[in-house]
Each structure stands twice: as structure tokens, then as C-alpha cells.
Amino acid sequence: MTDGTGLYQLAEEHEELRAAVRSLAEKEIAPYAAEVDEHDRYPHEARTALKNAGFNAVHIPEEFAGQGADAVSACVVIEEVARVDASASLIPAVNKLGTQPILLSGSEQVKKLVLPAIAAGEMAS
């Protein structure tokens, strides 16, 4: 969508998603970012926050217990998490990247086995 000047503008639903993820990231991920970097550790707090809010793998289709969000939504989630903690942004990014081959070429059996668990945050790519 453009703003009349030819510049791209996010749809209202994407702006609302951005606000929700930004709020979560600032409250539940940012406070741990320095410690995660300093101690070279996995951002468990970020994973929990993203999982609890349903932002860990928004791109997984509804038929596999996901939210069925579009690629722009997935990018918005990744971008907003990266604003406060680059390493934590790899959680939704790698979930997206790791599931693409399954979504594009996986059998229905594999999709039904793997995608709901990733959507639920029980496992990650």
C-alpha cells in the first residue's frame, strides 16, 4: 500500500502488530538483552515471552495450529525484536527460515507432525 507519494506504508493490521510486538519486546526482552550478550547465552526469556504472546512463529498456517500471518507480519515481528535484542530476533527468524522447506515441499504427514509444535512453541527450528 502506498501513501499517495509512492512510498510504501504498512497496512493498519501490520502497524497494530508492530505496536504489540514493540511493547512486548521493550517490557519482556530488552531487560535481559545486555546480560544475554555479556554471558553469551541463549535468550530464554525472549523465547518464553514470544511463545506466550504467540509471536514465535506467526507465519505457520492456521491449518497447522498457527496464526497464518503473512510474510510482512513475520518480518515485523523479527524487526521489532531485533530493535531490542538482535540475538533474540533469531527465534522468529529461524522459525520462519527453518519451516519454509517444510511449508513448500514437505508432505502433509511431516507438516502435521512438525508445524503445530513449532507454532505452539514446544519446539523451534
Side-chain angles (χ1 to χ4, degrees), residues 49-74:
L50 291 166
K51 175 188 160 201
N52 290 344
F55 294 141
N56 58 298
V58 298
H59 67 285
I60 294 179
E62 292 176 0
E63 67 186 287
F64 301 109
Q67 295 180 25
D70 63 10
V72 172
S73 295

mmCIF file of all heavy atoms in Angstrom, residues 49-74:
data_model
loop_
_atom_site.group_PDB
_atom_site.id
_atom_site.type_symbol
_atom_site.label_atom_id
_atom_site.label_comp_id
_atom_site.label_asym_id
_atom_site.label_seq_id
_atom_site.Cartn_x
_atom_site.Cartn_y
_atom_site.Cartn_z
ATOM 1 N N ALA A 49 8.729 -15.237 26.286
ATOM 2 C CA ALA A 49 7.851 -14.101 26.005
ATOM 3 C C ALA A 49 7.206 -14.235 24.629
ATOM 4 O O ALA A 49 5.998 -14.014 24.471
ATOM 5 C CB ALA A 49 8.630 -12.792 26.111
ATOM 6 N N LEU A 50 8.002 -14.582 23.633
ATOM 7 C CA LEU A 50 7.478 -14.728 22.272
ATOM 8 C C LEU A 50 6.475 -15.879 22.194
ATOM 9 O O LEU A 50 5.415 -15.751 21.574
ATOM 10 C CB LEU A 50 8.618 -14.943 21.282
ATOM 11 C CG LEU A 50 9.510 -13.729 21.056
ATOM 12 C CD1 LEU A 50 10.791 -14.124 20.339
ATOM 13 C CD2 LEU A 50 8.763 -12.649 20.278
ATOM 14 N N LYS A 51 6.799 -16.975 22.836
ATOM 15 C CA LYS A 51 5.897 -18.140 22.850
ATOM 16 C C LYS A 51 4.575 -17.781 23.524
ATOM 17 O O LYS A 51 3.504 -18.040 22.981
ATOM 18 C CB LYS A 51 6.563 -19.301 23.581
ATOM 19 C CG LYS A 51 5.677 -20.494 23.762
ATOM 20 C CD LYS A 51 6.343 -21.523 24.654
ATOM 21 C CE LYS A 51 5.282 -22.439 25.194
ATOM 22 N NZ LYS A 51 5.651 -23.134 26.379
ATOM 23 N N ASN A 52 4.651 -17.168 24.699
ATOM 24 C CA ASN A 52 3.433 -16.842 25.442
ATOM 25 C C ASN A 52 2.536 -15.854 24.705
ATOM 26 O O ASN A 52 1.311 -15.909 24.832
ATOM 27 C CB ASN A 52 3.780 -16.310 26.831
ATOM 28 C CG ASN A 52 4.339 -17.389 27.729
ATOM 29 O OD1 ASN A 52 4.220 -18.579 27.457
ATOM 30 N ND2 ASN A 52 4.978 -16.976 28.807
ATOM 31 N N ALA A 53 3.147 -14.971 23.923
ATOM 32 C CA ALA A 53 2.377 -13.982 23.166
ATOM 33 C C ALA A 53 1.961 -14.485 21.787
ATOM 34 O O ALA A 53 1.192 -13.825 21.089
ATOM 35 C CB ALA A 53 3.197 -12.699 23.024
ATOM 36 N N GLY A 54 2.477 -15.643 21.384
ATOM 37 C CA GLY A 54 2.151 -16.179 20.075
ATOM 38 C C GLY A 54 2.927 -15.551 18.940
ATOM 39 O O GLY A 54 2.509 -15.612 17.783
ATOM 40 N N PHE A 55 4.081 -14.962 19.242
ATOM 41 C CA PHE A 55 4.884 -14.295 18.225
ATOM 42 C C PHE A 55 6.105 -15.102 17.784
ATOM 43 O O PHE A 55 6.927 -14.608 17.042
ATOM 44 C CB PHE A 55 5.359 -12.928 18.725
ATOM 45 C CG PHE A 55 4.267 -11.922 18.953
ATOM 46 C CD1 PHE A 55 4.327 -11.062 20.030
ATOM 47 C CD2 PHE A 55 3.186 -11.822 18.103
ATOM 48 C CE1 PHE A 55 3.338 -10.111 20.252
ATOM 49 C CE2 PHE A 55 2.185 -10.893 18.309
ATOM 50 C CZ PHE A 55 2.264 -10.036 19.394
ATOM 51 N N ASN A 56 6.244 -16.328 18.239
ATOM 52 C CA ASN A 56 7.436 -17.106 17.917
ATOM 53 C C ASN A 56 7.440 -17.642 16.490
ATOM 54 O O ASN A 56 8.502 -17.859 15.912
ATOM 55 C CB ASN A 56 7.625 -18.257 18.903
ATOM 56 C CG ASN A 56 6.435 -19.180 18.926
ATOM 57 O OD1 ASN A 56 5.347 -18.753 19.267
ATOM 58 N ND2 ASN A 56 6.613 -20.430 18.579
ATOM 59 N N ALA A 57 6.268 -17.843 15.903
ATOM 60 C CA ALA A 57 6.179 -18.384 14.539
ATOM 61 C C ALA A 57 4.830 -18.008 13.930
ATOM 62 O O ALA A 57 4.009 -18.870 13.619
ATOM 63 C CB ALA A 57 6.380 -19.894 14.553
ATOM 64 N N VAL A 58 4.600 -16.724 13.748
ATOM 65 C CA VAL A 58 3.290 -16.229 13.288
ATOM 66 C C VAL A 58 2.927 -16.674 11.882
ATOM 67 O O VAL A 58 1.761 -16.644 11.497
ATOM 68 C CB VAL A 58 3.204 -14.691 13.387
ATOM 69 C CG1 VAL A 58 3.340 -14.222 14.819
ATOM 70 C CG2 VAL A 58 4.205 -14.006 12.475
ATOM 71 N N HIS A 59 3.911 -17.108 11.109
ATOM 72 C CA HIS A 59 3.704 -17.446 9.702
ATOM 73 C C HIS A 59 3.099 -18.825 9.466
ATOM 74 O O HIS A 59 2.663 -19.128 8.365
ATOM 75 C CB HIS A 59 5.055 -17.382 8.980
ATOM 76 C CG HIS A 59 5.977 -18.457 9.443
ATOM 77 N ND1 HIS A 59 6.625 -18.402 10.672
ATOM 78 C CD2 HIS A 59 6.324 -19.639 8.892
ATOM 79 C CE1 HIS A 59 7.334 -19.496 10.826
ATOM 80 N NE2 HIS A 59 7.181 -20.267 9.763
ATOM 81 N N ILE A 60 3.065 -19.661 10.460
ATOM 82 C CA ILE A 60 2.565 -21.023 10.263
ATOM 83 C C ILE A 60 1.057 -20.970 9.989
ATOM 84 O O ILE A 60 0.310 -20.315 10.720
ATOM 85 C CB ILE A 60 2.911 -21.917 11.468
ATOM 86 C CG1 ILE A 60 4.441 -22.081 11.532
ATOM 87 C CG2 ILE A 60 2.203 -23.270 11.376
ATOM 88 C CD1 ILE A 60 4.946 -22.905 12.684
ATOM 89 N N PRO A 61 0.625 -21.652 8.940
ATOM 90 C CA PRO A 61 -0.789 -21.606 8.557
ATOM 91 C C PRO A 61 -1.733 -22.104 9.659
ATOM 92 O O PRO A 61 -1.373 -22.961 10.472
ATOM 93 C CB PRO A 61 -0.863 -22.534 7.337
ATOM 94 C CG PRO A 61 0.527 -22.565 6.792
ATOM 95 C CD PRO A 61 1.420 -22.447 8.001
ATOM 96 N N GLU A 62 -2.942 -21.568 9.646
ATOM 97 C CA GLU A 62 -3.950 -21.931 10.633
ATOM 98 C C GLU A 62 -4.247 -23.428 10.618
ATOM 99 O O GLU A 62 -4.518 -24.013 11.667
ATOM 100 C CB GLU A 62 -5.227 -21.127 10.399
ATOM 101 C CG GLU A 62 -5.060 -19.657 10.693
ATOM 102 C CD GLU A 62 -6.304 -18.837 10.370
ATOM 103 O OE1 GLU A 62 -7.315 -19.410 9.905
ATOM 104 O OE2 GLU A 62 -6.256 -17.613 10.582
ATOM 105 N N GLU A 63 -4.189 -24.050 9.450
ATOM 106 C CA GLU A 63 -4.490 -25.476 9.363
ATOM 107 C C GLU A 63 -3.487 -26.340 10.137
ATOM 108 O O GLU A 63 -3.745 -27.508 10.409
ATOM 109 C CB GLU A 63 -4.552 -25.930 7.908
ATOM 110 C CG GLU A 63 -3.222 -25.884 7.181
ATOM 111 C CD GLU A 63 -3.354 -26.204 5.704
ATOM 112 O OE1 GLU A 63 -3.583 -27.387 5.370
ATOM 113 O OE2 GLU A 63 -3.235 -25.263 4.904
ATOM 114 N N PHE A 64 -2.358 -25.722 10.530
ATOM 115 C CA PHE A 64 -1.348 -26.428 11.330
ATOM 116 C C PHE A 64 -1.195 -25.758 12.695
ATOM 117 O O PHE A 64 -0.119 -25.736 13.274
ATOM 118 C CB PHE A 64 -0.017 -26.489 10.581
ATOM 119 C CG PHE A 64 -0.123 -27.188 9.260
ATOM 120 C CD1 PHE A 64 -0.037 -26.470 8.084
ATOM 121 C CD2 PHE A 64 -0.376 -28.554 9.199
ATOM 122 C CE1 PHE A 64 -0.176 -27.102 6.856
ATOM 123 C CE2 PHE A 64 -0.514 -29.191 7.977
ATOM 124 C CZ PHE A 64 -0.417 -28.468 6.802
ATOM 125 N N ALA A 65 -2.295 -25.191 13.190
ATOM 126 C CA ALA A 65 -2.374 -24.583 14.520
ATOM 127 C C ALA A 65 -1.578 -23.296 14.650
ATOM 128 O O ALA A 65 -1.257 -22.872 15.757
ATOM 129 C CB ALA A 65 -1.971 -25.583 15.601
ATOM 130 N N GLY A 66 -1.268 -22.671 13.521
ATOM 131 C CA GLY A 66 -0.565 -21.391 13.552
ATOM 132 C C GLY A 66 -1.517 -20.228 13.359
ATOM 133 O O GLY A 66 -2.734 -20.401 13.314
ATOM 134 N N GLN A 67 -0.945 -19.053 13.224
ATOM 135 C CA GLN A 67 -1.751 -17.847 13.051
ATOM 136 C C GLN A 67 -1.997 -17.512 11.587
ATOM 137 O O GLN A 67 -2.844 -16.688 11.272
ATOM 138 C CB GLN A 67 -1.077 -16.675 13.752
ATOM 139 C CG GLN A 67 -1.009 -16.856 15.246
ATOM 140 C CD GLN A 67 -0.338 -15.685 15.924
ATOM 141 O OE1 GLN A 67 -0.326 -14.579 15.420
ATOM 142 N NE2 GLN A 67 0.231 -15.942 17.070
ATOM 143 N N GLY A 68 -1.205 -18.099 10.698
ATOM 144 C CA GLY A 68 -1.407 -17.856 9.278
ATOM 145 C C GLY A 68 -1.071 -16.451 8.835
ATOM 146 O O GLY A 68 -1.612 -15.959 7.845
ATOM 147 N N ALA A 69 -0.183 -15.801 9.547
ATOM 148 C CA ALA A 69 0.189 -14.425 9.201
ATOM 149 C C ALA A 69 1.028 -14.405 7.928
ATOM 150 O O ALA A 69 1.710 -15.367 7.591
ATOM 151 C CB ALA A 69 0.963 -13.790 10.354
ATOM 152 N N ASP A 70 0.989 -13.275 7.253
ATOM 153 C CA ASP A 70 1.743 -13.131 6.011
ATOM 154 C C ASP A 70 3.220 -12.854 6.284
ATOM 155 O O ASP A 70 3.643 -12.677 7.427
ATOM 156 C CB ASP A 70 1.123 -12.048 5.127
ATOM 157 C CG ASP A 70 1.142 -10.652 5.752
ATOM 158 O OD1 ASP A 70 1.794 -10.440 6.798
ATOM 159 O OD2 ASP A 70 0.506 -9.762 5.179
ATOM 160 N N ALA A 71 3.997 -12.822 5.212
ATOM 161 C CA ALA A 71 5.446 -12.622 5.323
ATOM 162 C C ALA A 71 5.789 -11.263 5.916
ATOM 163 O O ALA A 71 6.764 -11.137 6.661
ATOM 164 C CB ALA A 71 6.109 -12.787 3.958
ATOM 165 N N VAL A 72 4.997 -10.245 5.617
ATOM 166 C CA VAL A 72 5.261 -8.916 6.178
ATOM 167 C C VAL A 72 5.099 -8.957 7.694
ATOM 168 O O VAL A 72 5.914 -8.391 8.427
ATOM 169 C CB VAL A 72 4.351 -7.841 5.538
ATOM 170 C CG1 VAL A 72 4.501 -6.504 6.253
ATOM 171 C CG2 VAL A 72 4.658 -7.696 4.053
ATOM 172 N N SER A 73 4.096 -9.660 8.170
ATOM 173 C CA SER A 73 3.899 -9.787 9.615
ATOM 174 C C SER A 73 5.089 -10.472 10.271
ATOM 175 O O SER A 73 5.555 -10.039 11.331
ATOM 176 C CB SER A 73 2.627 -10.582 9.920
ATOM 177 O OG SER A 73 1.489 -9.885 9.473
ATOM 178 N N ALA A 74 5.569 -11.533 9.650
ATOM 179 C CA ALA A 74 6.746 -12.224 10.192
ATOM 180 C C ALA A 74 7.937 -11.279 10.247
ATOM 181 O O ALA A 74 8.677 -11.257 11.240
ATOM 182 C CB ALA A 74 7.066 -13.462 9.355
#
